[in-house]
Amino acid sequence: MRALLPRSVFGQLALVIALVLVGAGVLAVLLGRELATRPAAEQLLRAMQGFAEVVEALDQHQPHARTVAQLRDAGLEVRSTPPADARPRFAPLLRELRERAAGTLGAGRELRMEAGRGLRVIWLKPATREPLWVSFAYDRPGTGMRRFSVFMLIGCVALVWLAAAYFARRLVQPLRQLAAAAPAIVRGDAPPVVPARAPREVAGLAQALGEASRDVRAAAEERALLLAGISHDLRTPLTRLQFALEMVPDTDPDLTRSMQRDIMEMDAILGQFIAFARDGRDEGSETVDLAAICRHAVAAASKGWRVELPEHALLPGKPMALLRAVENLLVNAERHGALPLSLRLWAEGPAWVVEVADGGPGLSAEAAERARQPFVHDQAGGGSGLGLPIVDRVARQHGGELRLLPNTPQGLRAQLWLRAG
């Protein structure tokens, strides 16, 4: 049953309104039968009962032929043979007369219906000495009247639907705006302004989301301040340690180089902490050349890269955030992958795609999903576990996404999709 119900709020409102209209129509038919059709049928049957009693009394006190002549002189159609009995489908009054005739008219009397020639005819058979059928005819509603009634019904239904659609749109439109802005609200952005004419419950929901967004933004700012402060404070003793290491005489060169690599690794991790804490929101957006950013990033790489870049690749974005994202992809491939290493950039519809491929062991689908989470990294490979999460965040800030795909015959293809405009 649930599978048959519409998924959207508008669809469910439309279904509710349709059921209400159907229920109102059924109720109108039942009320019409109880308040109009049934009393009219009873009144008409009592009149026919009185007419039958008069005809029967005349037939008892005078010849049958004289009774027939008097009825014809009164303008009534009379016959001795029984007429064809029809069962009209769309005549509530005639159906009610047929159902109640036997119990109201009495023994020896009968009622039959006949439809044709634009008329509806009711034949009454009184309990006379010889068979006698008397007709009562009335005009059926004309085609114009029926068409007018149908058009009135359709017009009323259409007006109800239009009014319902208007109020349903007033309810659904703010909800759609809030749903579209939900990912940004979760990240701490302010929710969209709800129109003043929005329902009170929707306005309350927007206010609650706004308060939650402010709480998330405050927590993110506190976290950023904490991480940036710790990282900055740790970098100062690291710098002094590196300087002191250079000044110590008679030190084993291999030990010195090993300690310097450790210091550089710690400095790089602290740099990732600061980049992750800042979140890229403090940087303004401008028109950047993604191809130039890729060239700059690959120029600082430590291994040999095969590069395929167009002359220019313009898009609106944050230059430092994009450079950090490309650098993280290159460092991740050099640290966890293997040769050959390649960097490609091409246009794919309304987006630019930066692809960094390597020939290393690659990642399974589960491992690729975990790699997007902060502080999840390969212990053997080192690193902070923030490289790919930073890339994923930058991609979402630019209306794109990060895709981690298997390479052929082995390795990983990390694709950074960015919206071109």
Side-chain angles (χ1 to χ4, degrees):
M1 179 65 182
R2 292 183 178 180
L4 300 178
L5 296 176
R7 300 290 300 274
S8 65
V9 175
F10 182 82
Q12 294 181 14
L13 288 175
L15 179 61
V16 169
I17 294 168
L19 293 177
V20 170
L21 289 176
V22 171
V26 173
L27 181 61
V29 171
L30 295 177
L31 289 177
R33 180 175 180 179
E34 293 294 330
L35 301 179
T37 304
R38 183 167 295 177
E42 292 178 353
Q43 184 177 3
L44 184 56
L45 286 174
R46 286 195 297 269
M48 289 184 176
Q49 182 183 17
F51 178 81
E53 291 174 354
V54 172
V55 173
E56 292 165 1
L58 290 175
D59 190 65
Q60 289 178 359
H61 294 88
Q62 63 184 12
H64 181 72
R66 181 173 176 79
T67 302
V68 171
Q70 289 177 343
L71 292 174
R72 287 175 175 168
D73 291 340
L76 300 174
E77 183 178 355
V78 181
R79 59 188 300 176
S80 58
T81 57
D85 192 14
R87 294 181 177 273
R89 294 175 295 176
F90 303 106
L93 178 61
L94 297 185
R95 287 200 305 270
E96 192 70 25
L97 287 174
R98 176 183 291 278
E99 293 173 2
R100 306 178 69 85
T104 303
L105 293 178
R109 298 167 184 164
E110 187 178 349
L111 204 65
R112 290 192 177 187
M113 314 293 177
E114 182 182 3
R117 302 185 306 276
L119 300 174
R120 292 193 186 277
V121 181
I122 302 174
W123 290 92
L124 172 64
K125 178 181 176 299
T128 54
R129 290 172 294 176
E130 298 181 18
L132 177 65
W133 292 86
V134 183
S135 71
F136 300 88
Y138 68 93
D139 294 336
R140 289 188 294 179
T143 304
M145 180 60 68
R146 291 197 301 271
R147 185 179 299 142
F148 175 76
S149 301
V150 171
F151 286 160
M152 281 290 294
L153 177 61
I154 294 175
C156 291
V157 172
L159 288 176
V160 172
W161 272 98
L162 288 175
Y166 170 74
F167 287 104
R169 182 177 177 82
R170 286 187 57 186
L171 172 63
V172 172
Q173 191 65 25
L175 291 177
R176 287 178 177 172
Q177 294 177 357
L178 292 176
I185 295 174
V186 172
R187 295 193 298 267
D189 295 342
V193 178
V194 177
R197 57 186 179 86
R200 181 172 53 192
E201 292 79 4
V202 177
L205 174 61
Q207 182 178 359
L209 290 176
E211 294 175 355
S213 174
R214 287 190 291 271
D215 294 340
V216 170
R217 189 161 56 251
E221 291 174 354
E222 292 178 359
R223 180 192 63 185
L225 182 61
L226 177 63
L227 288 177
I230 293 176
S231 301
H232 182 270
D233 292 343
L234 287 178
R235 270 185 164 176
T236 301
L238 279 179
T239 303
R240 290 200 302 264
L241 182 60
Q242 187 175 15
F243 180 74
L245 185 63
E246 295 289 341
M247 299 299 294
V248 175
D250 301 329
T251 305
D252 184 4
D254 293 336
L255 179 60
T256 301
R257 285 192 295 268
S258 176
M259 294 180 68
Q260 287 177 344
R261 283 195 302 269
D262 290 340
I263 292 174
M264 292 177 62
E265 181 70 18
M266 293 175 65
D267 186 71
I269 292 175
L270 292 175
Q272 293 282 45
F273 282 169
I274 294 176
F276 185 76
R278 286 179 177 173
D279 201 15
R281 296 188 183 185
D282 54 349
E283 184 181 4
S285 182
E286 60 186 66
T287 301
V288 298
D289 188 350
L290 190 57
I293 289 177
C294 291
R295 292 189 188 95
H296 182 75
V298 79
S302 59
K303 296 184 180 180
W305 285 82
R306 181 169 58 87
V307 179
E308 296 180 16
L309 302 174
E311 187 67 23
H312 297 285
L314 301 180
L315 77 161
K318 302 177 179 181
M320 294 305 299
L322 291 173
L323 176 60
R324 187 180 305 117
V326 177
E327 287 178 344
N328 284 352
L329 291 179
L330 298 179
V331 171
N332 186 77
E334 291 180 346
R335 176 174 294 159
H336 302 285
L339 297 177
L341 302 172
S342 65
L343 170 62
R344 298 175 56 214
L345 172 61
W346 73 90
E348 186 77 22
W352 285 103
V353 182
V354 179
E355 181 184 85
V356 175
D358 66 78
L363 293 174
S364 64
E366 295 77 9
E369 188 62 30
R370 289 197 306 270
R372 300 172 187 271
Q373 304 301 320
F375 305 106
V376 177
H377 60 91
D378 183 7
Q379 297 293 339
S384 63
L386 293 175
L388 291 181
I390 291 175
V391 177
D392 185 61
R393 177 188 292 172
V394 172
R396 287 187 281 107
Q397 287 176 349
H398 291 77
E401 60 177 328
L402 172 64
R403 300 180 184 179
L404 301 177
L405 308 173
N407 200 8
T408 304
Q410 67 177 16
L412 179 68
R413 290 186 298 128
Q415 293 182 348
L416 176 60
W417 289 68
L418 301 170
R419 188 174 54 194

